[in-house]
Amino acid sequence: MKRIDAARAGARKLMSAEAAIDAALRETAELMSLLPALRMEAHLSAVLGQDAADGIGETLRHILAARRTLIGAHADLQTVREQIGCRSVSIGELDKPGDTPRTGGFHALDGGRVA
């Protein structure tokens, strides 16, 4: 396998892992936000389910830590990519800090306005 092919394969798998963590974060956060609404609709005491809410909150903390760690690995892999001579490899359509916007999405302008 050529170095460029290896770099591209690694980048695709990294993007997949990042998307999986974000999906887990989203689903867990949605669960956390649903529980109080269900409790109130069922006219149940706030005392009920507090241990479960604590556990879900702890899970969110762990998912956020995993996300932070994977983002750090992403930066480390960029260094590896440069070390093997693949500086120009770019995979995906997501803008990163410092990129020239290319997705056609919303981008913050000076003063916090959104374009």
Side-chain angles (χ1 to χ4, degrees), residues 92-112:
E93 299 177 358
L94 302 177
D95 294 339
K96 297 175 189 71
D99 281 355
T100 300
R102 59 186 170 160
T103 62
F106 294 106
H107 302 284
L109 301 174
D110 288 336

Side-chain angles (χ1 to χ4, degrees), residues 3-9 11 78 81 85-91:
R3 290 178 181 191
I4 191 78
D5 294 332
R8 285 186 179 130
Q78 285 179 297
R81 184 192 71 206
C86 296
R87 293 177 192 263
S88 63
V89 174
S90 181
I91 302 289

Side-chain angles (χ1 to χ4, degrees), residues 7-103:
R8 285 186 179 130
R12 281 190 290 275
K13 189 53 74 175
L14 175 62
M15 287 174 44
S16 177
E18 289 172 343
I21 286 180
D22 280 348
L25 180 60
R26 183 190 68 241
E27 291 294 329
T28 307
E30 287 176 3
L31 173 61
M32 178 63 101
S33 69
L34 178 64
L35 293 180
L38 294 174
R39 181 193 65 78
M40 289 188 287
E41 285 178 24
H43 303 287
L44 298 171
S45 168
V47 174
L48 292 173
Q50 182 59 45
D51 290 342
D54 288 341
I56 295 167
E58 184 71 10
T59 300
L60 282 168
R61 189 177 69 76
H62 287 295
I63 294 170
L64 286 169
R67 188 178 192 275
R68 185 177 306 106
T69 302
L70 188 57
I71 288 169
H74 188 138
D76 294 339
L77 287 169
Q78 285 179 297
T79 301
V80 171
R81 184 192 71 206
E82 292 172 5
Q83 290 171 340
I84 65 171
C86 296
R87 293 177 192 263
S88 63
V89 174
S90 181
I91 302 289
E93 299 177 358
L94 302 177
D95 294 339
K96 297 175 189 71
D99 281 355
T100 300
R102 59 186 170 160
T103 62

